[in-house]
């Protein structure tokens, strides 16, 4: 973050040429799709005129996007920024962390959330995420992310083979337990990797955050806001048992 | 008489809100949460309002509004903590505050700087509220005359103007972002014929794109990726000392306060343009109007007071088009619009008819939110400062988890989650290529309004587009859109300059 007004350029950048071309494709696909919608004639018993057609607005938007994309391409070519060949390479360099962070979030959402108890999934996600970025030990980061992505991959393969167990069954609890054990095992292995006091202290912080956050969020959403969690398995069922036991006792 | 009735209703609203202990606790808690959100670099007011929206799902409207407005006001003010003590603005809105706030803190006046910021933000919020209350009924009266023609053009104008003013690079990129938002808004069954558009046989898309997951994705994911990627180590937090309101300095800078509030309200009312621009413009105006511009940047209280008054006054300004026309004035107001829609309220001119007391209640909530902010700021600032030592590598993964759960909780379907991640990653890529995100989300929100009203207008005119040119407001809006677009065309600019030069020569 800077403490001065945002830097303003009016020349654009070499990548604008590629985004312009990509936008042209998007606009063309949008217009192509819109042309499949009823333009005139009768739809669902309603006589249609061109100005009531569901295609009208998408066609206008697609045309405007097309014009803007062409203008962007022309502006980029005429501005001479394309001669700045180093920019694209330097822009691509250093994107490793971006792919990694986006990958962690995407893997969590696509792989873990629909298939594992939310508290367990959240625990593993936070543990891997914080170990990778908070501890500042490359070996620990590799281990945490390796375990996280491998687990996600196994779950996706299982889903692909139709082996995802039905929620609130013994098989589903076994999967939750397996993921929990992998997460705990990853932490134990990561802790054994270093004797550095600062790194170990940070690992403790990671564990505390990973344990407390999903538990607190899970309890808040499930029992106070009455919002069901994406998948309720091993831990959520245990929490339910405790919650209703307490309520029954009161 | 009408004014007296309004004042009575206002007092009654304040009394009603304060008589509920839960509401007071939520008010103070949300305000404090907002300050924390604003203070921590990497978290923003927009993100805070978005994430809290998902928690207010089960609240009644009063409680939800109190928590969201208190967080909004607190977060815009909270950004000044890290700006003053770390020289890193917690939110973009407080970027200008670092210019004089940090030198003051380095000179051992951190407590005084925070005290000035707290009081200036409090006054700024109140003046913004006053502007909202005074102007909103007039705009509503005008807007009630609007028909489909004007609503379509208004939506278009909102996208064009926000695209023009928020783009950090070529203006055309702002417009592209806006039209991409409109393209996203086309997904789902259309409102007039119920025909499925771009749903690819996915039934979850039939009702269209859910606004809140899009907003959370567009603002949370780029923020998480951008901050974790930068890995910039934080500077040492400057000592705070005692937080002093320093009313004498505030009184000496009254003209700066009034001018900054006007700037804040004016900028806030422009769709999509937020508190950061208000802060900078106001800072610049204070510096240019000062007999000692050389003191600015060296720890001049007038600079700090100006930027902080303006960014908080911007809140009231941003709510003016939101409440009266259904067009959000700033990125956090975009989130607020999503929250209001979630609670069954559709902002716009009809709101004053459906909920006649809404404006008065909103004003009462803003007053209470600013009071809560001031109290929290004076009493708890030193505790909040301790949080500045929490590293982003610990709290941003928590934000990611909250974003995921929040996006799911709204519709209880996984499609929203996938949508949030996809939009978030796309928004990050666009941000990296200097495309502004505010026009994109404004496009998503205003898209259905533009689509429906365009077709309704054409139905009324039996397909004759010339009818757009027969109504005065419609003509003004067309002229505004054309001038905004033409202002970016080099040939037009050259022609206008030569015309002006010719006039000057004749003069």
């Amino acid at each position: 973050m800077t403490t001065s007004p945002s830097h303003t350029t009016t020349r654009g950048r070499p990548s604008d040429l590629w985004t312009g071309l990509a936008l042209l494709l998007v606009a063309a696909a949008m217009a192509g799709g819109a042309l499949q919608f009823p333009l005139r004639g009768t739809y669902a018993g309603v006589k249609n005129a061109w100005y009531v057609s569901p295609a009208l607005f998408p066609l206008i938007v697609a045309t405007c996007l097309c014009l803007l994309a062409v203008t962007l391409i022309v502006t980029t070519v005429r501005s001479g920024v394309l001669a700045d060949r180093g920019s694209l390479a330097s822009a691509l360099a250093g994107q490793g962390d971006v792919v990694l962070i986006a990958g962690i979030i995407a893997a969590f959402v696509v792989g873990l959330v629909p298939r594992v108890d939310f508290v367990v999934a959240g625990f593993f996600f936070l543990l891997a995420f914080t170990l990778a970025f908070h501890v500042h030990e490359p070996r620990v980061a590799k281990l945490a992310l390796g375990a996280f992505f491998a687990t996600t991959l196994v779950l996706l393969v299982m889903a692909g083979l139709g082996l995802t167990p039905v929620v609130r069954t013994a098989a589903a609890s076994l999967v939750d337990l397996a993921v929990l054990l992998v997460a705990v095992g990853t932490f134990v292995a990561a802790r054994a990797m270093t004797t550095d006091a600062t790194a170990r202290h940070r690992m403790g912080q990671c564990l505390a955050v990973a344990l407390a956050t999903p538990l607190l969020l899970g309890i808040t959403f499930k029992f106070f806001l009455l919002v069901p969690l994406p998948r309720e398995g091993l831990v959520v069922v245990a929490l339910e048992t405790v919650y209703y036991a307490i309520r029954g006792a009161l | 008489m009408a004014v007296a009735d309004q004042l009575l209703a206002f007092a009654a609203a304040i009394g009603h809100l304060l008589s509920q202990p839960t509401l007071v606790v939520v008010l103070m808690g949300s305000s404090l949460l907002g300050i924390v959100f604003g203070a921590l670099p990497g978290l923003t007011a927009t993100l805070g309002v978005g994430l809290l929206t998902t928690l207010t799902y089960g609240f009644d409207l009063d409680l939800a509004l109190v928590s969201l407005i208190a967080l909004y006001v607190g977060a815009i003010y909270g950004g000044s903590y890290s700006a003053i003590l770390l020289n890193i603005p917690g939110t973009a809105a407080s970027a200008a505050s670092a210019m004089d706030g940090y030198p003051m803190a380095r000179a051992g006046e951190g407590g005084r700087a925070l005290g000035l910021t707290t009081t200036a933000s409090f006054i700024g919020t109140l003046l913004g509220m006053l502007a909202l209350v005074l102007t909103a009924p007039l705009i509503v009266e005008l807007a009630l005359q609007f028909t489909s023609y004007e609503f379509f053009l208004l939506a278009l104008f909102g996208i064009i103007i926000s695209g023009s003013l928020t783009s950090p690079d070529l203006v055309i990129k702002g417009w592209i972002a806006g039209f991409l938002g409109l393209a996203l808004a086309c997904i789902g069954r259309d409102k007039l014929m119920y025909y499925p558009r771009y749903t690819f046989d996915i039934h979850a898309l039939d009702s269209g794109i859910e606004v809140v997951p899009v907003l959370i994705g567009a603002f949370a994911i780029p923020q998480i990726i951008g901050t974790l990627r930068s890995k910039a180590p934080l500077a040492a937090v400057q000592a705070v000392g005692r937080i002093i309101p320093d009313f004498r300095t505030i009184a000496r800078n009254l003209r700066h306060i009034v001018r900054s509030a006007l700037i804040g309200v004016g900028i806030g009312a422009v769709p999509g343009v937020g508190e950061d621009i208000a802060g900078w413009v106001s800072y610049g105006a204070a510096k240019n109007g000062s007999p000692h511009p050389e003191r600015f940047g060296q720890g001049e209280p007038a600079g700090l007071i100006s930027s902080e008054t303006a960014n908080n006054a911007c809140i009231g300004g941003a709510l003016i088009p939101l409440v009266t026309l259904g067009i959000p004035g700033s990125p956090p107001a975009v989130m607020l619009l999503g929250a209001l829609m979630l609670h069954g309220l559709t902002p716009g001119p009809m709101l004053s008819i459906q909920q006649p007391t809404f404006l008065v209640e909103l004003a009462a909530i803003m007053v209470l939110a600013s009071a809560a902010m001031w109290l929290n700021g004076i009493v708890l600032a030193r505790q909040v400062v301790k949080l500045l030592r929490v590293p982003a590598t610990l709290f941003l993964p928590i934000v990611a988890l909250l974003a995921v759960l929040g996006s799911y909780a709204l519709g209880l379907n996984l499609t929203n989650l996938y949508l949030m991640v996809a939009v978030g990653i796309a928004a990050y890529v666009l941000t990296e290529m200097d495309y502004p995100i505010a026009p994109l989300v404004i496009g998503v929100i205003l898209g259905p309004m533009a689509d429906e009203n365009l077709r309704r207008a054409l139905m009324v005119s039996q397909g004759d587009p010339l009818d757009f040119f027969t109504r005065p407001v419609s003509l003004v809006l067309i002229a505004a859109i054309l001038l905004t677009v033409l202002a970016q065309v080099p040939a037009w600019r050259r022609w206008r300059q030569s015309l002006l030069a010719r006039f000057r020569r004749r003069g």
Side-chain angles (χ1 to χ4, degrees), chain A residues 25-37 55 58-59 62, chain B residues 198:
Chain A
L25 285 178
V26 169
M30 192 177 173
L35 290 172
Q36 309 297 316
F37 306 156
L59 278 175
Chain B
Y198 310 109

Side-chain angles (χ1 to χ4, degrees), chain A residues 1-13 15-16 19-20 23 26 29-31 33-34 36-38 43 46 48 50-58 60-61 64-65 68-69 71-72 75 91 93-95 97-98 101-102 105-106 108-110 113-114 118 122 125-126 129-130 133-134 136 202 205-206 209 213-214 217-218 220-221 225 227-230, chain B residues 41-42 54-59 87-92 95-96 98-99 152 167-170 172-173 175-176 179-180 182-183 186 189-190 192-198 221 223-225 228-229 231 280 391 393-394 396-398 400-402 404-406 408-409 412 414 417-418 420-421 425 428 432-435 447 450-451 454-456 458-459 462-465:
Chain A
M1 230 174 274
T2 61
T3 53
S4 60
S6 57
H7 175 64
T8 303
T9 65
T10 49
R11 282 183 76 217
R13 45 171 62 210
S15 59
D16 289 345
T19 48
L23 275 170
V26 169
M30 192 177 173
Q36 309 297 316
F37 306 156
Y43 172 72
V46 180
N48 199 10
W50 68 267
Y51 47 84
V52 198
S53 166
L56 179 66
F57 192 67
I60 293 174
V61 173
C64 290
L65 267 178
L68 289 169
T71 313
L72 181 65
T75 310
Q95 297 292 336
D97 276 350
V98 175
I101 298 163
I105 297 171
F108 174 56
V109 165
V110 177
V113 172
F118 181 76
F125 167 71
L126 285 181
F129 207 157
T130 50
F133 285 90
H134 184 59
H136 304 305
R202 284 170 178 256
Q205 291 175 332
C206 296
V209 163
T213 313
L217 282 179
T220 307
F221 274 78
L225 297 173
V227 174
L229 298 172
Chain B
T54 62
L55 285 171
T56 63
Y57 183 60
F59 291 6
N87 201 24
I88 299 170
T91 60
M99 297 294 285
F152 165 70
S167 184
D169 191 351
L170 300 166
I172 197 172
K173 290 185 173 180
W175 297 342
I176 288 174
F179 276 90
L180 281 176
L182 288 180
C186 289
R189 287 184 181 269
D190 85 287
L192 293 186
M193 292 183 68
Y194 212 56
Y195 186 84
R197 299 187 300 197
Y198 310 109
I221 304 283
Q223 198 73 39
I224 293 165
I225 296 176
L228 284 180
R229 189 193 161 202
K231 290 179 181 165
W280 278 116
T393 44
L394 270 186
L396 282 177
I398 298 174
L401 188 69
L402 258 174
V404 167
L405 191 54
Y408 173 81
L412 298 182
L414 291 169
L417 276 187
Y418 304 144
M420 186 273 290
V421 174
I425 293 171
Y428 175 76
E432 280 293 287
M433 290 190 290
D434 286 335
Y435 286 83
D451 181 10
L454 169 68
R455 286 192 284 158
R456 279 191 198 284
L458 288 171
M459 276 161 79
Q462 297 280 305
D464 184 3

Side-chain angles (χ1 to χ4, degrees), chain A residues 219-229 243-244 247, chain B residues 57-58 412:
Chain A
I219 292 170
T220 307
F221 274 78
K222 171 84 184 156
F223 301 111
F224 293 101
L225 297 173
L226 304 179
V227 174
L229 298 172
Y243 177 75
Y244 289 114
R247 278 194 66 169
Chain B
Y57 183 60
L412 298 182

Side-chain angles (χ1 to χ4, degrees), chain B residues 58 62 116 185 217 250 274 308 330 383 421 452 482 491:
Chain B
D62 272 355
L116 286 173
I250 292 284
E308 282 301 309
S330 68
Q383 310 308 317
V421 174
E452 202 179 327
L482 280 178

